[in-house]
Amino acid sequence: MDHGRLPTAPDAGTDDTMELPAVDALDWSAVTAALDAEGVAVTPPLLSPRACEEVRALFDRDEAFRSTVDMSRHRFGSGHYRYFAAPLPPVVTALRRRLYPPLARIANQWAERLDRPRFPGTHEELTAACAAAGQLRPTPLLLRYGPGDYNCLHQDVYGELTFPLQVAVMLDRPDVDFTGGESVFVEQRPRAQSRPVVKRPGQGQGLIFAVHDRPVPSARGWSRFMLRHGVSAVHEGQRHVLGVIFHDAP
Ligand SMILES: [Fe+2]
């Protein structure tokens, strides 16, 4: 697979040499504790303000994307998102490859608790497993919300093979570039009412959360808490987010 550069992506480097010091320095025990407590972990900034601006600017470059979704047409909400075409921008490939191994350790702990198949140790191996299952289209995406735009509660499941954790990186500054637009999560617990969780990540910060469900200790071992995510309406300005989903789509 060729992970070449987009021709004019500034300062992008190549995915294997790209420095992502904040990703390398992530406190994974804190991430695991937050996931266990709430199903959502907020990281320190993963990308610099400049890197956020560069990724955000890609939204208007048609050649970087394989498809565009108008959320209102599908009644998913309001606003647009665009799926990156292969080869992905180097920063997206780098985030996928570098975040994946520690996330796979968490995913495999979850798999053990829920008696599910395990995941490979590297993202290259996951991509190969997706390809073997007919999931060949990349799923990382860029989302843009303007005034009044929102995203209905949903789950990013595309095919048979679903990696159970995903990451969203906030590219704009809350209360400076936009107002409103909170990240909303609703956790559905067995035999209980659903619990809302609201997060307001700053520019560059990542949200790590369950794609579908996660194990929670119960009287008889482990039970599953289902998670859906969405975005409340943006009041003013524009809100951009980079969605990093690890499995590919059919
Ligand atoms: Fe999503």
Side-chain angles (χ1 to χ4, degrees), residues 78-79 144-150 178-179 233-239:
S78 174
R144 172 181 281 172
Y145 302 84
D149 289 343
Y150 63 97
F178 69 94
T179 59
V234 167
H235 301 316
E236 298 167 287
Q238 279 192 330
R239 176 193 190 275

Side-chain angles (χ1 to χ4, degrees), residues 15-39:
D15 33 301
D16 287 326
T17 59
M18 178 172 284
E19 303 241 328
L20 288 171
V23 174
D24 298 335
L26 266 181
D27 178 350
W28 287 99
S29 59
V31 168
T32 304
L35 286 170
D36 284 341
E38 280 197 314

